[in-house]
């Protein structure tokens, strides 16, 4: 295997109720480049990972949540672990864009193993995304 990235890239396909609103959110708000597309799907470069918005309105919905730190966290979600500075910049960009925050940007587990900055947003189709950052990436899989 030649020319492989340092870490494997993931591919994720998810339903959206409207491709143009998905384009505005992923390309516009998040700044993801678009790739191939059709009348039924759009590929996005999600920080080097391939995510694909598939037109499937009947599959869109809010979904179940679990309590974590006193907040209702969507069971079904996807996202990224960013550098701390990139996370702060994205947090500000999402605030300026009037993003639908499920969990406002904050630091959790402060001064504990696994301390992290986190935020949850929903895209226009109700898909939940989490963006995290760790000051020490060695703490990503920290235990209590």
């Amino acid at each position: 295997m030649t020319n492989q990235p340092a870490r494997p890239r993931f591919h994720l396909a998810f339903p959206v109720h409207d491709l143009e609103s998905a384009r505005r959110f992923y390309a516009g708000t998040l700044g993801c480049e678009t790739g191939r597309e059709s009348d039924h799907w759009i590929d996005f470069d999600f920080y080097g990972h391939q995510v694909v918005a598939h037109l499937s309105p009947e599959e869109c919905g809010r979904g179940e949540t679990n309590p974590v730190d006193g907040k209702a966290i969507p069971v079904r979600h996807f996202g990224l672990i960013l550098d701390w500075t990139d996370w702060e910049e994205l947090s500000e960009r999402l605030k300026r864009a009037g993003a639908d925050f499920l969990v406002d940007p904050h630091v959790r587990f402060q001064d504990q193993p696994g301390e992290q900055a986190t935020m949850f947003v929903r895209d226009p189709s109700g898909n939940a995304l989490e963006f995290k950052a760790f000051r020490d990436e060695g703490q990503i899989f920290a235990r209590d």
Side-chain angles (χ1 to χ4, degrees):
M1 291 188 203
T2 59
N3 296 324
Q4 292 295 314
R7 293 183 182 171
R9 295 182 180 165
F10 72 83
H11 164 78
L12 175 72
F14 56 93
V16 296
H17 77 285
D18 176 73
L19 289 175
E20 288 312 310
S21 64
R23 182 190 311 279
R24 284 191 299 276
F25 180 78
Y26 289 93
T29 302
L30 294 181
C32 299
E33 295 289 326
T34 58
R36 293 182 189 164
E37 60 183 271
S38 79
D39 292 342
H40 302 285
W41 52 267
I42 303 173
D43 285 348
F44 294 100
D45 178 345
F46 191 62
Y47 292 80
H49 306 282
Q50 183 192 47
V51 299
V52 185
H54 283 271
L55 186 59
S56 186
E58 65 282 356
E59 289 192 51
C60 296
R62 295 274 181 212
E64 298 295 321
T65 62
N66 275 336
V68 178
D69 295 339
K71 299 181 180 7
I73 302 301
V75 171
R76 184 173 295 178
H77 66 272
F78 66 97
L80 293 171
I81 299 171
L82 301 170
D83 291 330
W84 198 275
T85 301
D86 292 339
W87 182 90
E88 290 175 323
E89 290 171 5
L90 179 58
S91 170
E92 290 305 313
R93 185 175 349 142
L94 289 167
K95 288 176 188 175
R96 285 191 307 273
D100 179 15
F101 283 102
L102 296 170
V103 175
D104 289 332
H106 71 286
V107 175
R108 61 193 287 230
F109 308 128
Q110 197 153 8
D111 299 323
Q112 299 175 45
E115 179 179 10
Q116 61 192 259
T118 187
M119 61 182 150
F120 281 81
V121 296
R122 283 203 192 275
D123 74 7
S125 293
N127 296 298
L129 291 86
E130 179 182 19
F131 296 95
K132 295 181 177 191
F134 291 81
R135 290 195 193 276
D136 176 1
E137 284 198 9
Q139 293 290 304
I140 290 173
F141 297 105
R143 297 174 187 230
D144 294 336

